[in-house]
Amino acid sequence: MGKPDAEGHGPADGLPGLPPEWGRVVVPDDASALAAEAAQVRRELRRASGLPGGHRALGLPLVVLLVAVLTTLAGLLAVTWPRANRGADRPNPAPYSPPATLTGRALPALDLVDADDAPVPLRGLLPAMIILLDGCPCPDRVTDALAAAPAGVSVVTVSPGRTAPARPTIERQARALADPAGGLRSFLGQPARPGTATALLVDRAGTVTRVLPDLGTVESYRNDLSALAA
């Protein structure tokens, strides 16, 4: 659009394509700016209503005013209509869906921390069943996994935050670690769910063999634990 004219009534370049005898037509940015012109036309119409040929004399300014009003309204609609529909055209966010399966993918080389805040390479504990406890401590399920894990297969619990819980004083225990950076949960690709413990089974080569989104009963994964020891 052109620059405003000296009175600030819209573009100074007028409207292209109109008959030259109409003169220069300026379209204001605000339709209310045409109120004075409209009132003048109405006065002239009333004054000329009794004069011969009066309506023909007023035809030209009336047409010019009508064109200006229509052009202004069209411009306002062109600006405001897309804004009104922008929210309706925006797609609704898709509901959460689980990521693609991790089975067959390599476990990333993550360093977690133990109760002494010492780094522990996660791949150095393989083969292992890795249980994420950020959704549920679930001590009973951890105990069941320890009882079912064959010799040579580690059971690793991973807690959120910067500090891993202290080791319990029992003969066989899970290796308790913390994941301050959340790298393991990020690799899993799904958020923690309250009341739910998630587990990964990883073989000695570092390949994920199974993902348990909700760690259930031992019978649902006993055979997978046995396969890790092979």
Side-chain angles (χ1 to χ4, degrees):
M1 298 180 64
K3 298 180 179 179
D5 63 4
E7 298 180 358
H9 290 311
D13 49 1
L15 294 175
L18 296 180
E21 62 270 15
W22 287 13
R24 186 162 167 268
V25 178
V26 177
V27 180
D29 293 330
D30 188 352
S32 63
L34 299 174
E37 287 83 352
Q40 181 181 355
V41 169
R42 286 194 296 270
R43 288 195 299 270
E44 293 181 1
L45 284 173
R46 287 194 297 268
R47 193 165 50 244
S49 59
L51 298 177
H55 292 291
R56 290 194 298 272
L58 292 175
L60 180 58
L62 185 60
V63 169
V64 172
L65 179 61
L66 181 61
V67 170
V69 170
L70 292 177
T71 305
T72 301
L73 291 178
L76 291 175
L77 286 176
V79 172
T80 59
W81 185 266
R83 292 180 181 174
N85 290 334
R86 196 168 297 157
D89 294 338
R90 185 179 302 148
N92 294 326
Y96 170 77
S97 57
T101 178
L102 298 179
T103 303
R105 292 181 56 182
L107 183 72
L110 298 173
D111 283 354
L112 307 187
V113 296
D114 61 14
D116 299 323
D117 205 26
V120 178
L122 189 56
R123 292 175 67 93
L125 303 177
L126 303 180
M129 181 178 191
I130 305 170
I131 306 173
L132 286 78
L133 303 180
D134 46 359
C136 173
C138 301
D140 294 341
R141 296 181 186 179
V142 174
T143 300
D144 291 344
L146 279 169
V153 176
S154 304
V155 176
V156 181
T157 60
V158 179
S159 302
R162 302 192 60 84
T163 305
R167 296 184 177 184
T169 55
I170 57 176
E171 182 178 355
R172 188 172 184 197
Q173 58 199 9
R175 184 67 185 271
L177 301 175
D179 186 8
L184 191 59
R185 175 60 70 178
S186 178
F187 169 71
L188 188 61
Q190 53 184 321
R193 291 182 294 162
T196 301
T198 305
L200 298 172
L201 283 81
V202 187
D203 64 19
R204 66 182 69 256
T207 303
V208 177
T209 61
R210 189 177 178 189
V211 178
L212 300 170
D214 186 358
L215 184 60
T217 64
V218 174
E219 298 307 321
S220 64
Y221 58 83
R222 187 186 299 275
N223 292 337
D224 299 280
L225 280 175
S226 300
L228 293 180

